[in-house]
Each structure stands twice: as structure tokens, then as C-alpha cells.
Amino acid sequence: MAKEQNYLDILADLQKKQFKPIYYLMGEEPYFIDVIANYIENNVLTEAEKGFNLTVVYGTDTDISDIVNTAKRYPMMSDYQVVIVREAQSVKSIDELVYYLRKPLTSTILVFCHKHGVLDRRKKLAAEIQKIGVLFDSKRLRDYQLPQFIENYLKQKSIDIDSKASAMMAEYVGADLNRMVSELDKLIITLPKGQNRITPTQIELNIGISKDFNNFELLDAIINKNVVKANRIIKYFAENPKSNPLVMTLSTLFGFFSNLMLVYYSPVQTEQGIAAHLGLRLSWQARDYLRAKSKYTGTEVLQIIDDIRYCDARSKGVENSSVSDGELLRELIYKILH
């Protein structure tokens, strides 16, 4: 089976003008679908060519026969015509597209944007698309993939970012990629003239995230069993609950310790081995897990996971009617560190 392309692979081919007759863009993450479709819409044709050769339709307003008839037209005064079908998940009888794909017009670039769902890969349509074009599954990124996404996005704009700054943005914004890109673009605009590196200080000044009091720093304190630093951070969290909601902190801690539990079962106890076992893209991302493994036993990690779950339940009112989120977090961190 051929390696599935990611959105950067597809964009790289498009930039080389290596066009396919069909791009079926589907999945739960709308950001990647929009990036690819917008690149095709904005870059394949010149402004003069777009008037006759660019067609954008919506699945709710058209049907497969109209789409195919449009795709069969020849371009006017251009090498290509581009047909983009947005909201493709609403196109009825889409399986009939198979007949067009068996002999597509190579001068037509047909793009389907199917958000919040996927084609059934067992059907003939998926197989036909893969034979001659691109069938792209736009998957939501997992938390550990966000720093790499941030770095890749900024690299395309010739901007570097400090690893701590990248982790701060990942924690603060989360997996909403459209919002992430918007926040990163703001940071780029605020960079002083001649500076091409985003730092934690710049994020603190322009985004409002404290570079010293955040979940990234709290996790670092817990990993290193730095009681003083951890208590300083949770005191700040208690005093600023709107900026540091308990649910985000618990999510960060649960994700880390759940992965740490898996580390004990990694067959190769090196950075590279643990990164492969956890599905981390970069080996250095495993360093924190190795440090934590030296501080916490497997039995302790199991108890910590149970404590985090219990804290989460109490924050939602289970066996708790009056204890604040700040006090709940203080109790949890005490249990973890002692």
C-alpha cells in the first residue's frame, strides 16, 4: 500500500505543477481541506483565466450529473479548468462519479471538499480516486502533534519559534487549527523589525499567556518533583481561574501520565524507542517521559491517573459541593508530588 500523503506533500506537488484530475479532500479537520482547495483555487489559473475556467459549486445546490457535465468541458484559452465542489458531503448519488473517473478529462482539476466525514474506502469510488488522483483524509491532530504543526507553519513563512513558545501555544490554543493559525499570524505581525524568532516573552506580551505560569511549566515542575515551583504555579492558577481553567490542566496531566504508563511497556527504553512506541514524530519529545520515569514508579503513575480522574469528577460536582477548583488542584498536586 502506498504511503498516505499529508497536506504538505500535496502542496509540494501542486507547487511543482504536478496536477491530478481529481482531489477528494475529506475528514474531520477542515483546516487542511481548506488550505489545499484554496491553493488550487488561487494558484492554478491566472486572474484572466479564472473568468472562464474556474467553477465553484456547493453540494447542497447541485447534483453529480451537473458536476460531471461541468468537468467534461474543455478549458477556454487555458491549459486547465478548475471545478471545486464545496460541502461535497451533501452531493447525492456521488458513487456515480466512478463512471467519469474511468476516463477523466486531464485538462480538468476536479476538487471535492467533504468535511466532517469520509468516503467508504471499501467502495469502488474510493479505489478509482486513488488510481488517478488524491484521496486525502484530513485527520484532527493529536495534542503531541501540535508543536510540529506550529513549527512547520512558521517555517513556511521563514519564522522560527522557541520550543517552549511552541508548547505554550499548543497548550493555550489546542487543536483548533484555524484559531491557531490566526494567533500565529498575529505573532508574526508583532515581531520587531529584523527578528524572525518567536519567544515565550513575545507570546506573553501579545497573546496574554504567562511564560512562567502555565500548564507547560506546571508539568515540568511535576516531572522534576519541584515542589516550590509547582506550588507557585497552582497559587497563580487559583488567583487567575479564567485564564487557567482546571479542565485544561487536568487534560494536560492526564495525557502525560497516560502516555507515561505506556512508556513502561516500551520494548526499547531510549528516546528513539519511546518516541516510536508513543507515535511521537521527534525523538526529543520523549525526554520528559524518560525523566518522569526515573522519578515515578509504574504503581505511582497508576495512582496518579486515578487521582486525576477523581479530581475531574469532583470538579463536576461528584462528592463535592463547596471545594473550589483551586483547592482541588492543590490537593491533586500534593498527592502527585508526595
Side-chain angles (χ1 to χ4, degrees), residues 259-275 277-278 286 289-294:
N259 276 345
L260 181 57
M261 194 69 250
L262 296 176
V263 167
Y264 289 92
Y265 297 95
S266 175
V268 182
Q269 293 290 316
T270 63
E271 284 185 18
Q272 293 79 9
I274 289 170
H277 189 65
L278 295 180
Y289 293 106
L290 279 172
R291 280 192 294 142
K293 183 173 177 286
S294 71

Side-chain angles (χ1 to χ4, degrees), residues 282-314:
L282 301 172
S283 60
W284 62 262
Q285 293 173 310
R287 290 173 192 167
D288 283 345
Y289 293 106
L290 279 172
R291 280 192 294 142
K293 183 173 177 286
S294 71
K295 303 281 187 178
Y296 298 91
T297 66
T299 302
E300 288 172 332
V301 172
L302 280 173
Q303 182 60 53
I304 288 169
I305 292 171
D306 189 54
D307 289 338
I308 294 170
R309 285 178 170 149
Y310 182 55
C311 181
D312 179 57
R314 291 186 71 198

Side-chain angles (χ1 to χ4, degrees), residues 4-72:
E4 190 168 320
Q5 287 183 302
N6 62 39
Y7 85 107
L8 292 174
D9 296 329
I10 296 168
L11 288 176
D13 287 343
L14 289 169
Q15 288 161 1
K16 297 173 188 173
K17 299 190 181 300
Q18 296 175 357
F19 304 134
K20 302 289 187 181
I22 183 168
Y23 292 80
Y24 201 99
L25 315 174
M26 60 184 186
E28 295 301 320
E29 178 49 68
Y31 173 78
F32 298 124
I33 293 173
D34 288 338
V35 166
I36 297 168
N38 290 344
Y39 183 90
I40 293 171
E41 180 176 353
N42 296 325
N43 294 278
V44 172
L45 304 173
T46 66
E47 288 302 317
E49 292 170 337
K50 287 178 183 178
F52 292 107
N53 300 291
L54 173 62
T55 303
V56 180
V57 298
Y58 290 81
T60 51
D61 302 327
T62 190
D63 57 38
I64 198 63
S65 61
D66 286 342
I67 294 169
V68 169
N69 287 336
T70 302
K72 287 181 176 179

